[in-house]
Amino acid sequence: MATPNVLILRAPGTNCDLETAFAFETAGAKTERVHVNRLLEEPNRFDRFQILCIPGGFSYGDDVAAGRILANQIIHHLSDAMARFKDAGKLILGICNGFQVLIRSGVLLDGNAEQGSPATLTWNDSGRYEDRWVRLGTDGTKCVFFKDVERMYLPVAHAEGKFVARDEATLNRLAAAGQLVLRYLPLDGGMAGAKRSAGWLGHSEAVPQATDILPFPDNPNGSQANVAGVCDATGRVLGLMPHPERHITRTQHPRWTRPETTQTGDGLKLFENAVAYFA
Amino acid sequence: MLWEVDIYPAQGQPNRLAEDATAGATDLGFPSSIDVEAAQGYLIQGNLRPEQVERIAAELLADPVVERTVIARVGDARLAQPPEGRPLLIHVLPKPGVTDPVAESALRAIADFDIPADAVRTFKKYWIGGLSDDDVTALVPKVLANDAVEQVIAGPLEFEHLEVGSPYEFQRVTVPLGELDDEALLKLSRQGQLFLSLAEMQTIQAHFRDLGRDPTDVELETLAQTWSEHCSHKTLAGRIRYRDENGETSYQNMLKETIFEATQQIRRAAGPDDDWCVSVFEDNAGVIRFDDYYNVVFKVETHNHPSALEPYGGANTGIGGVIRDPMGTGMGAKPICNTDVFCFAPPDTPADEIPQGVLHPRRVMRGVVHGVRDYGNRMGIPTVNGAVFFDRRYLGNPLVYCGNVGLIPHDQSFKNPQPGDLAVALGGRTGRDGIHGATFSSAELTHQSDELSGGAVQIGNAITEKMLLDVLLVARDRGLYHAVTDCGAGGFSSAVGEMGEKIGAEVWLDRAPVKYEGLSYTEIWISEAQERMVVAVGEAQWDQLSALCASEGVEATVIGRFVPTGRLQLKYGDHEVADLSMDFLHDGRPPVVREATYAPPPVVEFPLPANDTEGYTDSLQEILGSLNVASKHSIIRQYDHEVQGGSVVKPLVGSNNDGPGDAAVLRPVLDSPRGIVIACGMNPCYGDFDTYHMAASAIDEAVRNCVAVGADPARIAILDNFCWGNTDRPETLGSLVRAARACHDLSIALGTPFISGKDSLNNEFRPEDADEPISIPSSLLISAIGQVNDVARCVTMDLKTPGNRLYLVGLTKNELGGSHFAQVESLAGGRVPTVDAPMAKQTFAALHRAIDAGLVRACHDLSEGGLAVAAAEMAFAGGCGLRISLDRAPASDGASHPAVLLFSESNTRLLCEVRPDDAHAFEMALAGVPHAVIGQVVDEPTLRIVPGDDAAPLIEADIETLKQTWRKPLAW
């Protein structure tokens, strides 16, 4: 199949759906924005899509906690349809609020009854919402979305994006499995940070220690191990806090009027990879 | 049964609620011994088993990775176990009836568990140690709770039910006006919070005497609301006799004869083919042409009085309300960006100087910023432009201006309600929130305002509005209604009253969905509950609209019908409670007749400092570190300024993304290169000298900010927002009329039409022990919306490349009056900046040609702090140094003093960075406009300004030091 169909999931408070659809279409996909109520009425609607994207926003106002209410609906009403989608070898992408939903619903990282969720996204160390650009590095080749991507420059815009694992063992396990696929890098170009963190920039064996956490604003929220994005064990489900759909064209770059910038946005490749996966 | 779930951070996690309380307390001078533990909590009512509540807590309410819970029935001793050393327990809950969005969402989510909860309410719980009981008593209202919207319970919670209202028993209320004398009429107006004048009360009395009956309470309320200053702008659109040093002018309608007239003149001059104004001063927002398919709409509102009482809720609903203006313009525009401008007292005002009934400016500022942030971000609308001004006179009366721009197809730009259409309420439910907002916003604040008018404060729920927006745009494109308008001040009363003005309307108040029982028909009619709009729907459209709304969980309810009676008739069940003629309602108000005088203060020549040898580096540092100039990055970064993906020039620009951009640029249509430019201009300091020049300067500033990033000056439209003191005083009204005359003159001279505006009068505060109220400075905000054909031609203000030349465009005059230099040097007097309007028009056109031809690498406007500040900002934003020599700067006679050249705030001036290869072409483009090369971009990271070659520097400073001075003051 040449042109994958992308389901852009909409819920009350979703607000990055249009530009996310635009990014997928620029990358060559077909998109349809579907309200969660339509899926609740008819979970089989999932089946005719190849990619599911939960875009950014404030689903249900982020009331109680970011992404919690939509995650709750997925757990209670859509978990079978979601599992079927995943098992069919399709792709799932959660951006910002979508990442929060994927992690809280257990779609991204399986939990178990005794121990609960392996990780969470909690309040930024700054205690508030912030919109700023970050430098990112990918780790390993596991994730479909990051094929041939090493570095990206993207904006984050969130209040609850600090990645915290349940315990150190869980963090180690995720790192060893290559699932901590996207990390914040120093804004100065990555040299200082790259040296210090050589262990986890390659195929990681060494688990980052707490002392490796980059200072604000390199790591904008205080995430453990500087984690900005996580994939599941298959590499086909990705959640990330930064917004790739906000860096598709040159003029979205905060310094496009300066000599140093490039012609296309770093975020486009992620969507192109998703489309190419079905080529 | 009532369950309580307390949620604390887990071991090792920060307790932000406690940290915020501690920081707020120590900010206000409470002892640093304060020790706080805090929890977020939920009260859940329902017949629930313990394991059900535990499940809800574990799977929904708390995050087990980072939080722990305490769960018990209300009253259980486990909930009242104080943590070590923190014995005092304070609960803070939203008052019954105040919007509690988290509780509403939690209740719906609990339903997904198939667990039968009846009601949910949130609260905050504080355990406090290290303070005396008296200190805690003082702390609660100052830091922990706001009496306007929250209730405080000391000690354990003891109630057994959550209050959900009690049934309403209909009772028709009439107000006996017939026999009242003037004094009694005024008393009724005041005590009933109608805020009508004696002449207005007499007119109403006479009207009902003619009808042979007394009005009902809801008729009186409807008249008071429709005739309020907020809704009818009766003072500025009224008769005014104005006198100043040039003579006397009598206006029949002041706004129409000044500001509107300027726009009409510009439109006439353009002729029908080139007129790009579409709908001005008519609809909820001004509408102008954007491209072949779309128009853009722009509206700026203020929400000052509610923000003074409850900064978070006031600002929250301020932005929420102004977003509904574009949504309610034409057939509904899609909001594409927000603006916000605030005026506060200095945040370092000592706590013991705060009058009773006034919140500390630091708390006001935090609350307002968070209010705008939480609503704008949730709506998914980028907040791209703004400003913050500080002046002590804003202490009791902060100003909160919120703006919104929308995008609308040409063929959807006008509404057309039809006789017979159904009046349909969309969105949120009606509650008791915001009663009397329209009349209250037209009154002077006193230290008792928080007690009298707490009901006027609303709390918003952005997601309700986002859901409403989502269905509205779909319904618009499917043609499912004939007209739409927002419920703003006055609620249904203003929405239905305005939409049915030319037809007539009948409203069935008992059908309006309410948040809880017990609302009277009058409360339903005038409630200003947020997130509601009214659409006029044909019978044939209703089924489809109803189904669409239901499919996305948006409530749509028929509450009436537009019937061709020319009357406004309200019913509750079978009872008629109002029957007013639309004519009397909209045209019956007696004209307001006012005197206005203005005497400009005499010009006191500025005592220029002697040519000292110490230079001006310290003055520059002081200005950069002054609150009005200092970086607002800590506010800007809390706003999502990039959502919707159209961001082109962000509020912060430069090599480290932290320089102060002149204007925002965005691309509202993602596959088109056309851009919108948003900027503003305001300088209350100049108003103390002459409000004419203040207004002229604000317009020049707003326009030059747009031009600086690349906007075409022939396509810039502007908005006026007047915030003034009590215009009953002829000299206060005179200062406003004088500003409006400047608006007229500059608008025509620059070819820049006004398309919308709003005024907020009576911004005064009367402290308890004072005879004289404190009035705000005359505060005219000019908001500008410009356009660019191709955003790739835009420029930013940061220096780009060493070796390039720096040009100063525009003439420097001896205009240090009201300047930041005068403020930091404590110098009184001087000449206030003026505008040479024909030269301004020529300058903007010439500079635009140069920018459009790609000849300008960086461009920055000169405003607060003049040349020195603009040069410093360009340098540290670009990470390059600058060498400047003042001797070639274009200057008028008497402006050769270095302090004038460095710090004068003369208008229509900009700095441009130009490549040496482009210098000739740039100079050709600027022919006829004062300009000169005054310096060069250099590698070495210092700003060095000399009076002439080989002279000792007047300013020499490391750019990083300058940047830190500028970044630091508001970095909190």
Side-chain angles (χ1 to χ4, degrees):
Chain A
M1 173 185 327
T3 308
N5 288 316
V6 186
L7 189 164
I8 311 269
L9 182 64
R10 228 159 46 77
T14 299
N15 63 31
C16 301
D17 46 325
L18 287 167
E19 58 268 40
T20 303
F22 182 77
F24 268 114
E25 282 171 16
T26 305
K30 278 191 220 154
T31 66
E32 192 178 325
R33 293 156 54 241
V34 179
H35 196 281
V36 64
N37 288 357
R38 303 292 79 71
L39 294 178
L40 294 172
E41 291 159 2
E42 195 192 332
N44 293 339
R45 262 177 185 260
F46 273 118
D47 297 346
R48 53 193 180 83
F49 295 92
Q50 287 73 49
I51 302 172
L52 164 67
C53 178
I54 309 182
F58 291 79
S59 56
Y60 296 96
D62 279 357
D63 292 339
V64 183
R68 175 69 56 76
I69 307 267
L70 181 55
N72 198 52
Q73 291 186 324
I74 290 174
I75 292 169
H76 289 279
H77 305 296
L78 299 173
S79 48
D80 290 349
M82 215 53 133
R84 212 166 49 238
F85 195 87
K86 232 166 110 171
D87 295 344
K90 297 175 176 180
L91 300 182
I92 301 178
L93 173 65
I95 302 169
C96 195
N97 195 241
F99 183 18
Q100 292 161 336
V101 170
L102 288 181
I103 208 162
R104 295 200 202 292
S105 61
V107 172
L108 186 57
L109 302 175
D110 296 329
N112 61 52
E114 300 88 69
Q115 293 182 298
S117 177
T120 191
L121 292 161
T122 186
W123 278 85
N124 298 349
D125 278 350
S126 66
R128 63 188 180 197
Y129 186 99
E130 285 193 288
D131 176 344
R132 56 174 66 249
W133 284 65
V134 292
R135 218 165 264 289
L136 299 153
T138 57
D139 194 5
T141 54
K142 187 177 199 76
C143 182
V144 169
F145 294 91
F146 292 132
K147 186 168 184 290
D148 302 328
V149 177
E150 281 180 15
R151 296 282 184 277
M152 287 193 294
Y153 188 54
L154 300 177
V156 289
H158 61 252
E160 298 173 58
K162 177 181 177 178
F163 179 83
V164 177
R166 186 174 57 220
D167 48 37
E168 213 177 310
T170 308
L171 189 66
N172 290 347
R173 181 171 61 73
L174 292 171
Q179 288 178 248
L180 307 181
V181 284
L182 189 66
R183 320 252 194 157
Y184 300 109
L185 291 183
L187 288 162
D188 62 18
M191 291 317 292
K195 248 180 265 166
R196 190 171 38 177
S197 314
W200 54 261
L201 272 170
H203 297 274
S204 142
E205 320 84 48
V207 173
Q209 301 300 306
T211 49
D212 283 319
I213 293 178
L214 293 167
F216 179 87
D218 297 343
N219 175 340
N221 49 35
S223 279
Q224 286 180 349
N226 305 307
V227 170
V230 177
C231 72
D232 77 335
T234 70
R236 288 184 283 102
V237 182
L238 169 69
L240 76 169
M241 289 313 298
H243 286 273
E245 81 284 7
R246 295 188 187 181
H247 195 192
I248 298 298
T249 57
R250 170 172 166 261
T251 58
Q252 290 168 322
H253 191 293
R255 295 189 298 281
W256 69 268
T257 61
R258 300 186 65 78
E260 68 253 38
T261 49
T262 53
Q263 281 305 308
T264 54
D266 290 355
L268 184 59
K269 183 73 180 158
L270 185 149
F271 298 98
E272 288 174 343
N273 279 338
V275 173
Y277 183 73
F278 296 96
Chain B
M1 99 184 61
L2 192 58
W3 289 88
E4 178 176 333
V5 178
D6 296 348
I7 301 172
Y8 293 91
Q11 190 75 30
Q13 297 293 331
N15 190 326
R16 297 195 192 288
L17 196 55
E19 285 165 10
D20 285 352
T22 305
T26 44
D27 265 0
L28 295 185
F30 285 92
S32 60
S33 56
I34 184 172
D35 188 6
V36 183
E37 170 78 321
Q40 303 273 3
Y42 294 85
L43 294 171
I44 306 168
Q45 181 172 298
N47 195 12
L48 308 180
R49 296 190 305 277
E51 64 272 19
Q52 289 178 314
V53 184
E54 272 161 27
R55 182 162 174 232
I56 294 168
E59 294 180 25
L60 177 68
L61 303 178
D63 184 336
V65 179
V66 290
E67 291 170 335
R68 69 182 174 86
T69 53
V70 180
I71 301 165
R73 286 181 61 176
V74 169
D76 192 292
R78 271 179 295 164
L79 299 166
Q81 286 295 320
E84 179 86 37
R86 281 156 287 191
L88 289 168
L89 174 58
I90 302 287
H91 291 91
V92 179
L93 300 83
K95 281 184 173 170
V98 166
T99 307
D100 186 354
V102 176
E104 290 169 26
S105 289
L107 183 63
R108 279 196 296 270
I110 290 170
D112 279 331
F113 287 83
D114 269 334
I115 292 177
D118 304 331
V120 175
R121 208 158 147 207
T122 64
F123 63 90
K124 289 176 280 187
K125 182 169 187 167
Y126 296 94
W127 298 96
I128 301 168
L131 288 188
S132 68
D133 288 4
D134 284 352
D135 274 343
V136 173
T137 308
L139 177 76
V140 168
K142 287 206 165 90
V143 176
L144 301 185
N146 189 324
D147 190 46
V149 289
E150 290 170 323
Q151 75 181 109
V152 172
I153 295 171
L157 297 177
E158 282 170 349
F159 43 84
E160 287 166 11
H161 303 286
L162 296 179
E163 215 173 309
V164 284
S166 49
Y168 168 67
E169 278 180 39
F170 176 79
Q171 196 186 357
R172 190 170 186 274
V173 179
T174 56
V175 184
L177 282 187
E179 304 309 318
L180 298 184
D181 62 14
D182 290 355
E183 200 180 317
L185 284 174
L186 276 176
K187 190 173 164 200
L188 175 67
S189 169
R190 205 170 45 245
Q191 288 186 344
Q193 296 190 48
L194 305 173
F195 299 111
L196 291 168
S197 71
L198 179 60
E200 289 160 349
M201 289 299 288
Q202 287 168 331
T203 303
I204 293 170
Q205 188 179 38
H207 178 76
F208 283 95
R209 200 176 279 151
D210 290 347
L211 295 177
R213 65 174 176 96
D214 279 320
T216 62
D217 56 346
V218 74
E219 286 175 327
L220 204 50
E221 293 277 6
T222 304
L223 288 162
Q225 178 271 313
T226 309
W227 293 5
S228 70
E229 188 67 71
H230 188 93
C231 294
S232 74
H233 305 278
K234 56 195 172 189
T235 300
L236 301 191
R239 294 182 196 162
I240 296 175
R241 187 163 67 123
Y242 171 78
R243 276 167 297 154
D244 66 12
E245 75 279 18
N246 300 318
E248 183 177 311
T249 312
S250 286
Y251 295 103
Q252 290 303 305
N253 178 329
M254 195 276 292
L255 283 179
K256 202 169 174 180
E257 291 161 50
T258 55
I259 292 175
F260 302 0
E261 171 53 28
T263 301
Q264 295 315 326
Q265 207 169 312
I266 292 168
R267 297 183 73 176
R268 282 194 299 270
D273 293 340
D274 293 321
D275 176 15
W276 47 279
C277 292
V278 175
S279 161
V280 293
F281 296 105
E282 283 168 12
D283 210 329
N284 289 311
V287 187
I288 54 173
R289 191 82 66 224
F290 176 60
D291 63 15
D292 290 341
Y293 185 75
Y294 289 109
N295 293 323
V296 283
V297 318
F298 194 7
K299 178 63 172 282
V300 178
E301 280 267 17
T302 53
H303 222 214
N304 305 331
H305 290 192
S307 302
L309 296 182
E310 207 314 87
Y312 181 86
N316 200 249
T317 52
I319 190 75
V322 82
I323 292 167
R324 288 195 302 277
D325 278 321
M327 284 167 64
T329 296
M331 294 292 276
K334 177 195 171 197
I336 55 170
C337 68
N338 295 324
T339 66
D340 61 349
V341 174
F342 308 136
C343 301
F344 303 123
D348 55 358
T349 306
D352 56 12
E353 291 176 20
I354 309 293
Q356 193 193 339
V358 168
L359 299 174
H360 193 278
R362 218 178 159 91
R363 184 170 172 196
V364 174
M365 182 166 160
R366 250 190 243 276
V368 164
V369 170
H370 293 178
V372 170
R373 172 193 69 191
D374 287 354
Y375 210 105
N377 290 354
R378 276 173 173 68
M379 283 300 291
I381 302 168
T383 300
V384 300
N385 181 259
V388 190
F389 293 92
F390 295 92
D391 187 300
R392 271 196 71 91
R393 289 170 286 177
Y394 295 118
L395 185 59
N397 220 310
L399 302 183
V400 175
Y401 299 87
C402 295
N404 183 268
V405 179
L407 190 68
I408 191 167
H410 291 178
D411 60 3
Q412 301 277 15
S413 298
F414 293 91
K415 57 181 107 249
N416 192 9
Q418 302 291 313
D421 278 354
L422 300 168
V424 174
L426 287 184
R429 294 184 155 218
T430 300
R432 219 166 251 133
D433 28 4
I435 302 278
H436 284 138
T439 55
F440 160 69
S441 69
S442 311
E444 177 190 295
L445 290 177
T446 72
H447 72 279
Q448 292 173 317
S449 298
D450 51 341
E451 293 156 34
L452 282 174
S453 308
V457 177
Q458 316 100 324
I459 299 290
N461 186 351
I463 297 313
T464 307
E465 187 148 308
K466 179 69 166 87
M467 293 165 72
L468 171 54
L469 171 63
D470 290 348
V471 296
L472 186 76
L473 294 181
V474 175
R476 178 196 74 186
D477 292 342
R478 290 188 193 163
L480 300 185
Y481 54 83
H482 295 135
V484 59
T485 198
D486 67 310
C487 291
F492 287 143
S493 171
S494 68
V496 178
E498 284 169 24
M499 209 189 280
E501 180 179 350
K502 303 277 180 336
I503 305 171
E506 186 177 293
V507 182
W508 313 308
L509 292 170
D510 53 306
R511 300 199 194 173
V514 290
K515 293 181 180 178
Y516 36 82
E517 288 188 283
L519 268 71
S520 74
Y521 59 84
T522 302
E523 288 173 322
I524 292 170
W525 182 238
I526 66 169
S527 162
E528 292 178 12
Q530 296 292 301
E531 291 97 28
R532 300 175 307 159
M533 299 189 81
V534 173
V535 283
V537 182
E539 288 277 5
Q541 298 166 314
W542 167 240
D543 286 348
Q544 277 190 65
L545 179 69
S546 175
L548 170 67
C549 290
S551 78
E552 302 210 357
V554 173
E555 215 158 359
T557 312
V558 175
I559 60 162
R561 188 186 288 280
F562 295 100
V563 282
T565 57
R567 304 196 70 77
L568 177 66
Q569 290 162 306
L570 306 182
K571 291 190 170 160
Y572 192 89
D574 294 335
H575 310 277
E576 182 168 276
V577 292
D579 182 10
L580 290 167
S581 82
M582 286 287 186
D583 285 346
F584 180 65
L585 182 61
H586 291 284
D587 301 318
R589 178 173 55 74
V592 173
V593 182
R594 288 266 196 279
E595 294 288 319
T597 60
Y598 193 83
V603 174
V604 181
E605 282 303 333
F606 203 94
L608 283 171
N611 272 336
D612 53 57
T613 50
E614 286 177 20
Y616 293 93
T617 306
D618 290 349
S619 306
L620 172 61
Q621 293 264 19
E622 261 195 85
I623 297 172
L624 285 172
S626 66
L627 293 174
N628 286 347
V629 174
S631 172
K632 310 298 184 293
H633 64 94
S634 62
I635 298 176
I636 294 167
R637 292 248 172 256
Q638 293 187 59
Y639 300 146
D640 190 341
H641 47 264
E642 301 176 294
V643 63
Q644 299 190 13
S647 176
V648 174
V649 174
K650 302 178 204 297
L652 295 170
V653 298
S655 61
N656 204 26
N657 302 349
D658 58 3
D662 287 302
V665 182
L666 56 119
R667 224 158 32 94
V669 183
L670 291 178
D671 55 6
S672 156
R674 256 186 92 73
I676 298 266
V677 180
I678 305 291
C680 64
M682 183 172 182
N683 203 328
C685 308
Y686 300 166
D688 297 336
F689 290 77
D690 190 326
T691 50
Y692 185 95
H693 299 306
M694 175 189 82
S697 298
I699 293 169
D700 188 87
E701 183 184 9
V703 172
R704 74 178 182 261
N705 274 324
C706 288
V707 173
V709 298
D712 177 357
R715 272 291 180 103
I716 296 171
I718 50 180
L719 283 68
D720 62 86
N721 281 84
F722 291 89
C723 287
W724 242 254
N726 184 347
T727 47
D728 289 350
R729 287 191 302 269
E731 60 275 20
T732 303
L733 183 57
S735 68
L736 192 156
V737 174
R738 193 172 175 92
R741 289 159 71 100
C743 290
H744 168 266
D745 297 351
L746 267 288
S747 171
I748 292 171
L750 296 178
T752 303
F754 281 93
I755 56 167
S756 173
K758 195 88 191 203
D759 55 86
S760 165
L761 310 179
N762 284 317
N763 285 289
E764 305 201 342
F765 177 81
R766 193 187 296 276
E768 187 178 21
D769 48 2
D771 297 331
E772 287 299 311
I774 304 169
S775 174
I776 61 160
S778 305
S779 306
L780 170 64
L781 170 68
I782 299 292
S783 306
I785 179 165
Q787 306 187 20
V788 285
N789 275 325
D790 180 358
V791 294
R793 297 218 165 265
C794 288
V795 296
T796 54
M797 52 73 69
D798 46 306
L799 293 180
K800 304 295 187 304
T801 313
N804 284 346
R805 295 181 187 178
L806 187 73
Y807 280 84
L808 174 59
V809 176
L811 191 65
T812 303
K813 303 175 206 163
N814 184 354
E815 292 177 323
L816 282 167
S819 68
H820 279 68
F821 179 74
Q823 287 169 40
V824 302
E825 300 292 329
S826 304
L827 298 167
R831 288 174 187 278
V832 72
T834 55
V835 179
D836 176 346
M839 181 49 79
K841 181 168 189 178
Q842 199 184 334
T843 304
F844 295 145
L847 182 59
H848 177 64
R849 278 196 299 276
I851 290 176
D852 204 41
L855 303 173
V856 178
R857 295 292 294 132
C859 181
H860 193 24
D861 97 302
L862 272 59
S863 54
E864 288 101 337
L867 170 64
V869 166
E873 288 174 344
M874 291 180 82
F876 64 61
C880 302
L882 262 180
R883 296 286 171 275
I884 293 176
S885 177
L886 295 178
D887 51 356
R888 283 204 281 162
S892 66
D893 291 347
S896 59
H897 190 287
V900 173
L901 293 171
L902 288 171
F903 298 112
S904 172
E905 298 182 6
S906 294
N907 286 295
T908 327
R909 294 183 305 155
L910 303 103
L911 284 171
C912 296
E913 178 191 355
V914 178
R915 276 182 296 251
D917 288 353
D918 294 328
H920 178 69
F922 179 79
E923 290 177 15
M924 296 300 286
L926 271 285
V929 168
H931 68 276
V933 180
I934 61 162
Q936 195 176 24
V937 183
V938 296
D939 252 328
E940 187 199 330
T942 55
L943 172 67
R944 186 180 151 98
I945 305 181
V946 297
D949 292 342
D950 304 326
L954 297 163
I955 287 175
E956 184 157 33
D958 168 55
I959 60 170
E960 193 54 33
T961 310
L962 294 173
K963 188 199 254 186
Q964 290 316 317
T965 304
W966 174 77
R967 275 180 63 87
K968 219 171 125 189
L970 292 169
W972 45 275

